[in-house]
Amino acid sequence: MLTPTPLSPAQCHFFHEQGYLIVPDVFDPADLEPVRQELHREIAKKAAALHADGQLQNLHEELGFDQRLTALHLDSKENGDAIIRHLEGLRGGGFHAPEMFDVIAHPKLVAKVSSLLATEEVVASSVYRIRPKLPNSGRGVVPWHQDSGYFSEHCDTQLIITCWVPLVDATVENGCMQILPKVHGGKVVKHYTGGNAGFLVIKDEDLPDDPRKAITAACPRGGVVFMTNRTPHCSTPNTSDHIRWSIDLRYQSAETPSNVGLEPAAHDAEGRAEPRFYEKVAVACYPPEADFLVSSKLHPELVTTYAEYARRRELYDRTKSDFSAYKRWRESAEAAGARTGH
Ligand SMILES: O=C(O)CCC(=O)C(=O)O
């Protein structure tokens, strides 16, 4: 049984020098079993609903967590995508069951994040993603980017930590991440719109270093890949026979701009937040999604409970907004290629 321990000074040093750190044993694999099982139940629930509507014939009930979505997607891309969208929700964090919150607020993870941020006042955000990368489908392949490419510019020099948590062993074969080390101290480089599945993308020639210097971030289940918001990374296709499930979570110091304590209270008739609201919370690094406190020595009474996390998430999700990171990057890679003749 692993108890919550901070990272060692050598691990913190490595992270700050390299821009990433892979720790193979943050969790016992058993700690991740509840979230795996709940995701599996959610897939079953959505598949059953499509079946009841007459849209899906074979439920593939005999298949496990690492296989079932592939079979459903192979039978019907439409149904598979509907199930994935159901998990992702409006902005990627639709799945917010208690089992998910238990991973986000897990003392073993928060202790490690806290040592990297050098504070016990830690804010997590709803900017987390659940990624079922299906075998041989191209879905879930993520182009080169820095997470800051998605955030507001005024947070470029802040530290926002991505914790990439594989729910199966992540390997080269099933499409783990590639990370460009030692360049996270530089600028947020130019990102283009129009990457596959709407992802932002950095062109190879704009990367701060030769992509051949990238490290392969294989990581066993139970491990975590920690990265900074300016660490360039991408992920490769899944050529294995199983789904590469992962979740990526984000944390920052409570001193970094956030929308903790702010609510998107004012909506117009269509549920859109009044522009004034977004002007007011433009201080948050990613205004449309709810931030919440997961650790505090100064104000332990303010640490967010599951009920409050769910309420804030749902409220923000219902609040449609025009805020979109890609507005920061208006040009598509394709258009830029055509313009320069590449
Ligand atoms: O999971 C992947 O394949 C990519 C993850 C990623 O880009 C991220 O966590 O920012």
Side-chain angles (χ1 to χ4, degrees):
M1 185 73 183
L2 300 169
T3 48
T5 47
L7 293 167
S8 69
Q11 286 172 310
C12 291
H13 178 77
F14 184 96
F15 173 84
H16 291 293
E17 186 187 68
Q18 301 283 331
Y20 80 96
L21 174 73
I22 303 173
V23 182
D25 55 0
V26 172
F27 297 102
D28 287 319
D31 294 332
L32 301 172
E33 218 29 55
V35 78
R36 282 169 48 98
Q37 285 177 14
E38 183 56 23
L39 278 164
H40 196 50
R41 275 193 293 273
E42 204 58 41
I43 292 167
K45 225 193 282 173
K46 182 69 183 170
L50 290 167
H51 186 257
D53 279 356
Q55 294 176 53
L56 182 153
Q57 272 73 52
N58 190 344
L59 286 165
H60 292 290
E61 283 169 309
E62 72 292 356
L63 296 178
F65 180 59
D66 307 351
Q67 304 287 348
R68 188 168 180 184
L69 199 44
T70 309
L72 294 166
H73 197 266
L74 272 177
D75 284 355
S76 153
K77 182 177 174 317
E78 211 180 15
N79 284 336
D81 286 345
I83 297 171
I84 293 169
R85 274 199 307 277
H86 171 69
L87 297 177
E88 289 174 344
L90 182 60
R91 291 197 185 91
F95 176 77
H96 55 274
E99 292 79 1
M100 184 71 201
F101 182 71
D102 288 347
V103 177
I104 298 172
H106 203 292
K108 290 176 186 171
L109 182 59
V110 174
K112 303 235 173 332
V113 168
S114 186
S115 52
L116 292 175
L117 292 170
T119 177
E120 290 186 64
E121 309 304 306
V122 181
V123 164
S125 78
S126 298
V127 191
Y128 64 73
R129 300 294 177 251
I130 297 157
R131 301 188 200 249
K133 187 188 273 195
L134 304 184
N136 303 306
S137 83
R139 200 182 193 293
V141 175
V142 179
W144 281 109
H145 67 284
Q146 293 160 298
D147 283 357
S148 264
Y150 287 91
F151 304 149
S152 292
E153 260 166 294
H154 70 285
C155 289
D156 281 1
T157 54
Q158 304 284 340
L159 176 59
I160 301 169
I161 296 179
T162 292
C163 296
W164 191 87
V165 183
L167 299 178
V168 301
D169 292 346
T171 61
V172 180
E173 203 192 6
N174 67 17
C176 66
M177 285 188 296
Q178 302 286 314
I179 296 175
L180 206 49
K182 282 192 168 173
V183 289
H184 58 292
K187 283 195 185 141
V188 175
V189 299
K190 184 164 182 161
H191 286 63
Y192 291 90
T193 62
N196 61 305
F199 291 121
L200 292 174
V201 51
I202 304 175
K203 289 185 183 182
D204 276 9
E205 62 264 34
D206 292 335
L207 281 168
D209 206 349
D210 187 334
R212 285 173 300 188
K213 291 190 189 162
I215 64 106
T216 295
C219 185
R221 170 148 55 122
V224 175
V225 182
F226 298 90
M227 283 182 298
T228 83
N229 41 311
R230 279 184 283 165
T231 303
H233 57 284
C234 68
S235 76
T236 50
N238 179 356
T239 58
S240 77
D241 61 0
H242 58 270
I243 303 166
R244 194 224 66 188
W245 280 100
S246 64
I247 52 182
D248 38 275
L249 315 171
R250 288 173 181 81
Y251 301 85
Q252 59 190 57
S253 154
E255 286 184 8
T256 298
S258 77
N259 58 28
V260 166
L262 289 166
E263 308 245 318
H267 303 113
D268 66 16
E270 290 178 331
R272 258 188 295 268
E274 282 180 4
R276 255 180 298 119
F277 171 74
Y278 278 101
E279 281 159 26
K280 202 171 76 186
V281 298
V283 291
C285 295
Y286 194 74
E289 297 198 27
D291 298 317
F292 46 93
L293 197 64
V294 282
S295 157
S296 176
K297 202 169 184 174
L298 295 175
H299 295 288
E301 75 285 1
L302 296 182
V303 170
T304 311
T305 59
Y306 171 69
E308 176 61 1
Y309 148 83
R311 187 191 70 78
R312 280 177 65 70
R313 274 207 60 81
E314 284 163 16
L315 191 60
Y316 272 75
D317 267 4
R318 278 201 306 275
T319 308
K320 300 185 194 99
S321 89
D322 288 340
F323 177 92
S324 214
Y326 60 74
K327 285 199 177 142
R328 179 173 174 179
W329 315 103
R330 289 167 189 274
E331 196 175 12
S332 81
E334 214 171 67
R339 191 169 41 71
T340 57
H342 287 293

